[in-house]
Amino acid sequence: MCPGIATDHEYSEQELDRIIQEAVEANGSVRDAVIPILSEINQKLGFIPVESLGKIRRYINTPEAGLFLADSHLYAVASFYQMFSLTPTGKHVVRYCASAPCHVEGGRQVIEALQEQLGLQPGETSHDNQWTLLKTSCLGVCGVGPVFLVDQDIYGNVTPEKIPHILAKYR
Amino acid sequence: MISLTINNQTLEVPDGSTVLQAAEMAGIAIPTLCFHKDLSPYGGCRLCVVEVQGTRLPMTSCILPINPGMVVNTESEALTRYRKAILRMLLQNYYDAGYKRNNGKLGIDRENELAHWAEVYGIDIEQYMAKKPAFAVDSDPNPFVWVDLNKCIQCTRCVRACAEIQGRFVWSQSYRGYKARIVAGSDTTMLQARCESCGACVAYCPTGALDNKMSVSAGLADRLVRTTCAYCGVGCQLDLNVQDNVPGRRVIRVTSNTDPATVNKRHLCLKGRYGYDFIHSSTRLTQPRVRQYLLDSAPRPKDRGKWVDVDWETALRVAANGLVQAWQAGGSDAIGILGSGNLLNEESYLLGKLARQVIGTNQIDCCAHIYASDLSEHLLDAAGIPAMQNPFDEIASKAGTLLVIGSNLTEQHPVFGAKIRQAILRRKIKMVVVSPDFFNIAEYAALPLYPKPNTEAILVQGLIHFILEKHLADHAKCQMGSEDITKLKEAVAKYSARKTSDLTGVAIDALYEAAEILTREPPLSVIMSDGLADRTVARQNMQSLINLQRLLGSLDTPGGGVNFLGSQNNIRGAGDLGSTPNRLPGYQNCKNSTARAKFEQAWGVALSSAPGLSAWDMLKSVSEGKVKALYIAGEDALNVSPDGGQARRSLDACEFVVYQTSVATETARYADVLLPGVTFAEKTGSFTNAERRIQMVHQAIEPIGAASPDWQIFKELAKRILPSIERQISPAAYSNWDYTDTAEIMQEIAALTPIYYGVSHSRLDQAGSLFWPVESEEHPGTTFLQTAYFEPIQNTFIPIKLIVPEGYQTPILTPV
Ligand code: SF4
Ligand code: SF4
Ligand code: FES
Ligand code: FES
């Protein structure tokens, strides 16, 4: 299990401020830093609380230097990438690859097994906040398809039979 | 230049042009949707495809740069097929709920750009559009902007309009794939996402997904009437959309037009685009009224008694009688006239003529000067010009640095404010904003300063002190003689950084930083407004800014200058044409006998050389019984300041008050006669904006009820006062009052007002606008106005004196 992933989506204002401040310090207050800062929040909290956008903007927005960053810019980025979530996720996030190469290698059976074993449809989070199931596109490791991710860990050549063992590591 | 061939036509176009631009130059139209020439290109919809020799697939012409010798074809069967396919694809995600009115019936929108191209390519919208809505039809609570994402084709014109024109960045295209949609802020309402309701996104949306909420189902206009906005000194051009043969409201909406010659092009602000309700407001005054006691020839009751609706003849007779009685009791100066920065140029001229020729007084001023000192007058004293030196666009394109002081720029002059935002973003120029309160424009400032109220002049003195001490001003550019610099140094010696900081409350570091910013990138452009007009310090504010600009060499420099923007739309025109207590039209001083002689000859009567009282003093002297009658024309005297105490007392004490207005406001309580004037939609004439740009106002609808254009009221009143007043008026070129229209009044203005010499309505209609001075009928007008145009400048340094009277919290400045 990958360290650094938040255990649940309770977080304090101060924590969020600290995460953003550290991410800004590490990546600079420039436009290019937006994605690394968003990833940092997503990783630490499991999702990007929408109020982070206003906080990030205040660091980076420098109209006098020709850069005006509004919430709309940040929201466009945060909502575009599938690796970001704008809603709280469960303790563990399972993202399965839904692109064609994985699909033809038996991906469909894997997806069905995941849905059944977790009792979730893509996009849903379990009632006990333990699991979130998400769909993603090609992860770039098609050679070992079908593929899914649990948090930051990647699993290749998966079959429906292997799924209980993989999930058990996180229960 | 670069050459290419389009549809067998070979032409040369400037380097860097796109194929679409080249086609336009060749007069060839290519269908487009996501492209708009005011916005940055996007290349998203692909409707603009063309064939390029040597490429396999059609190319999007709006983002296609030209290679030398390119051979382009814009029409073919294949292209038509392609464009049809694109339109059908766009329609798959387009759903029209059918709320547009066509010939009285509700139905689908046939007027937007997408519908237009569908029609051109023979595609039936109803057949191909989505079968059900994917979003709520009216999904945002913004009171002015209608949002219907079912009609959105994701062209992002709204995103670009809000970013590149209004500078608010409300919209983005968020999410991805089939979920992608237009989102306000972080998926909030528009207003929560910083929207200022300017309607730019509406004006640029090609599908009606964004629309004008107040008139979304109002149907089409029968006529568009181009006119000048009546809200502020930017003077935007807009089209009043008029429906004839409709009972009740007839101005159904305001639209803007992409006309590169105007101040605003397609941009407008909230006020201009959506603030047209007042035209048809139920509070409009539609019938003249007089108080009962005047009809009964009874003494005036304390509260002036009951109102009676009367016909024009009675109202004018009663008004004229009252004014003549005051004249007989106390002479010409017993009458005070309050004009307005909302009147037409022609009306301000007539009102001045009424005061000077008919009544024989210079006692005329604008209501705006009841509380705010006339900064134009101080500017004339300090720099010999009363108005802005630069056009707005010149400031936006040439200023090296900006100092915005005493101006809530984006609210007072929003379209200019938006130009300044864009100048900062695009040209990376720095701005210092000085105001006691936070103003929205400060969001774009490199440095905002918040001095205590009325200490702005001290702050500027302190800045000058620091600039001199650190030798920050460029010697070669300085517009002051060395002697004057020495004097300036002495004058500001006592404003050390510490002292200035103590007096203004601005931190020393901030003062240093400001001085550095203001001197780094010349020219400095000072933008100021009525925030500096407090009567105790207005003169000193103006003087200290002129001193600063002379020292920096930024006066008389395109993009520099001290640019004063008044608070009302035509306060410039009112000043230009004599609504001031000491100046005849064209800033000709009433004490100057040559200037007077010209008007005496034209008007056929001897004129008073004594300046009248300013608006404020006029009201004060009512209480002393000197001013016995007031004629308030065009504006709510009580509504020009948060504190109406003195004005209320004066109006209450005044023996006879004539109030001419389109809406009966609180001032009406103190009036004896109410004369219904009209709004800008009901009359023709001209306004002059803050840049000195004279533009036409065109009548769109007939006056409401019995209301009458203000100039006609002045004319009728003058005709009724003249016979009973004992003034020797002999026949002369312009002695009479027989005007048939305002064009004729403009002819008279032109004949007597040097800065308007070459102005006529026909020329304005033809040219769109003219910047005064327009010295002759051939003269093109003057976009840049040199200082000392009206009055020679005695000294390049103006001494300013600071006194701190005992017991005052804030220091008070007084002139030397
Ligand atoms: S109305 Fe103006 S400020 Fe509001 S979203 Fe549209 S363009 Fe932006
Ligand atoms: S709302 Fe209109 S302008 Fe904005 S993307 Fe959609 S269709 Fe284009
Ligand atoms: S398709 Fe699944 S990893 Fe590439
Ligand atoms: S107009 Fe060229 S791609 Fe839309």
Side-chain angles (χ1 to χ4, degrees), chain B residues 243-364:
Chain B
Q243 276 176 350
D244 297 310
N245 314 317
V246 181
R249 332 205 123 218
R250 295 202 290 148
V251 175
I252 53 155
R253 71 172 72 80
V254 167
T255 49
S256 48
N257 222 295
T258 300
D259 177 346
T262 60
V263 185
N264 54 307
K265 301 199 186 67
R266 206 174 264 222
H267 196 198
L268 283 173
C269 77
L270 167 63
K271 300 179 259 186
R273 197 183 295 279
Y274 297 119
Y276 54 86
D277 284 47
F278 72 98
I279 300 170
H280 297 289
S281 157
S282 56
T283 58
R284 281 287 302 271
L285 192 62
T286 54
Q287 192 67 38
R289 281 182 196 167
V290 301
R291 299 281 187 179
Q292 179 76 52
Y293 83 90
L294 289 162
L295 297 175
D296 301 345
S297 307
R300 196 190 82 187
K302 196 159 180 333
D303 66 351
R304 295 179 201 255
K306 205 161 73 73
W307 281 118
V308 187
D309 280 359
V310 293
D311 58 24
W312 271 108
E313 194 45 56
T314 312
L316 289 165
R317 182 172 41 80
V318 169
N321 278 350
L323 295 175
V324 170
Q325 270 171 28
W327 191 88
Q328 282 159 349
S332 302
D333 291 345
I335 298 172
I337 296 189
L338 288 170
S340 158
N342 297 331
L343 293 172
L344 298 172
N345 286 334
E346 294 77 1
E347 293 172 338
S348 283
Y349 171 82
L350 278 200
L351 191 60
K353 182 174 174 182
L354 181 72
R356 297 187 164 96
Q357 185 215 25
V358 178
I359 298 171
T361 181
N362 283 311
Q363 205 136 272
I364 173 169

Side-chain angles (χ1 to χ4, degrees), chain B residues 31 44-51 56-61 74-90 121 123:
Chain B
C45 73
R46 294 192 61 82
L47 192 66
C48 65
V49 283
V50 295
E51 288 164 345
R56 199 164 52 86
L57 289 172
M59 307 282 276
T60 42
S61 61
T74 70
E75 295 297 337
S76 74
E77 256 176 53
L79 285 174
T80 303
R81 261 200 319 278
Y82 199 98
R83 288 178 189 147
K84 281 185 171 176
I86 288 168
L87 288 166
R88 281 195 297 265
M89 255 161 50
L90 291 173
Y121 284 92
I123 290 176

Side-chain angles (χ1 to χ4, degrees), chain B residues 383-621:
Chain B
I385 49 169
M388 278 176 80
Q389 283 199 287
N390 289 281
F392 300 134
D393 284 335
E394 197 161 76
I395 297 177
S397 64
K398 295 192 182 143
T401 310
L402 300 162
L403 171 60
V404 176
I405 179 164
S407 159
N408 188 352
L409 192 58
T410 49
E411 284 185 24
Q412 285 184 283
H413 301 97
V415 168
F416 179 44
K419 282 179 198 271
I420 292 299
R421 288 179 184 149
Q422 292 301 326
I424 290 170
L425 289 183
R426 290 168 199 218
R427 298 182 47 236
K428 302 196 179 17
I429 55 178
K430 300 241 183 302
M431 170 174 68
V432 176
V433 173
V434 178
S435 65
D437 301 314
F438 172 81
F439 288 148
N440 168 301
I441 188 71
E443 195 180 65
Y444 277 71
L447 180 69
L449 301 178
Y450 302 104
K452 292 180 194 157
N454 285 353
T455 64
E456 288 91 343
I458 299 175
L459 181 85
V460 176
Q461 304 289 87
L463 289 172
I464 295 176
H465 177 103
F466 185 74
I467 291 168
L468 287 167
E469 190 181 273
K470 299 281 177 205
H471 306 286
L472 292 173
D474 182 346
H475 255 302
K477 291 212 170 68
C478 181
Q479 291 156 330
M480 269 186 188
S482 51
E483 247 174 64
D484 279 346
I485 294 206
T486 314
K487 284 192 216 153
L488 179 66
K489 257 186 204 153
E490 282 164 18
V492 299
K494 49 180 180 275
Y495 302 106
S496 64
R498 163 123 317 278
K499 177 89 180 288
T500 308
S501 173
D502 286 348
L503 292 171
T504 62
V506 173
I508 294 182
D509 286 353
L511 286 171
Y512 286 175
E513 199 187 333
E516 270 166 12
I517 294 174
L518 295 176
T519 50
R520 212 177 294 148
E521 221 35 82
L524 173 66
S525 188
V526 174
I527 298 170
M528 60 180 298
S529 188
D530 284 7
L532 298 185
D534 187 291
R535 63 189 54 259
T536 55
V537 287
R539 171 176 289 272
Q540 290 75 11
N541 285 335
M542 188 57 93
Q543 292 171 335
S544 50
L545 288 167
I546 296 282
N547 280 346
L548 172 71
Q549 287 295 68
R550 283 224 170 84
L551 173 66
L552 298 181
S554 287
L555 223 50
D556 286 329
T557 313
V562 170
N563 297 289
F564 164 56
L565 289 96
S567 56
Q568 292 162 312
N569 67 310
N570 200 31
I571 194 82
R572 178 79 288 118
D576 291 351
L577 296 167
S579 280
T580 62
N582 57 344
R583 293 185 188 274
L584 293 154
Y587 302 97
Q588 304 176 82
N589 203 312
C590 65
K591 288 191 204 149
N592 177 327
S593 55
T594 330
R596 245 182 11 252
K598 181 165 71 177
F599 284 90
E600 288 175 337
Q601 212 169 33
W603 288 344
V605 71
L607 297 178
S608 163
S609 62
L613 297 173
S614 72
W616 171 255
D617 292 329
M618 223 187 273
L619 286 186
K620 276 208 313 206
S621 71

Side-chain angles (χ1 to χ4, degrees), chain A residues 12 15 23 38 52 121-122 141:
Chain A
S12 67
E15 195 183 350
L38 289 172
S52 355
Q121 290 299 308
V141 286

Side-chain angles (χ1 to χ4, degrees), chain A residues 31 50-51 53-54 57 61-83 86 135 137, chain B residues 163 167-178 181 183-187 192 194 424-426 428-431 443-446:
Chain A
R31 188 172 222 143
V50 80
E51 67 264 29
L53 305 185
R57 165 165 55 79
N61 191 356
T62 42
E64 70 277 14
L67 173 59
F68 198 102
L69 203 66
D71 287 0
S72 57
H73 295 120
L74 295 166
Y75 194 81
V77 176
S79 68
F80 182 83
Y81 291 101
Q82 291 177 328
M83 61 190 188
L86 283 158
K135 180 155 88 163
S137 41
Chain B
R168 289 301 278 180
F169 305 91
V170 170
W171 296 110
S172 75
Q173 192 187 33
S174 285
Y175 302 100
R176 65 146 81 190
Y178 67 93
R181 65 183 163 89
V183 162
S186 39
D187 210 356
Q192 284 169 329
R194 314 165 29 85
I424 290 170
L425 289 183
R426 290 168 199 218
K428 302 196 179 17
I429 55 178
K430 300 241 183 302
M431 170 174 68
E443 195 180 65
Y444 277 71

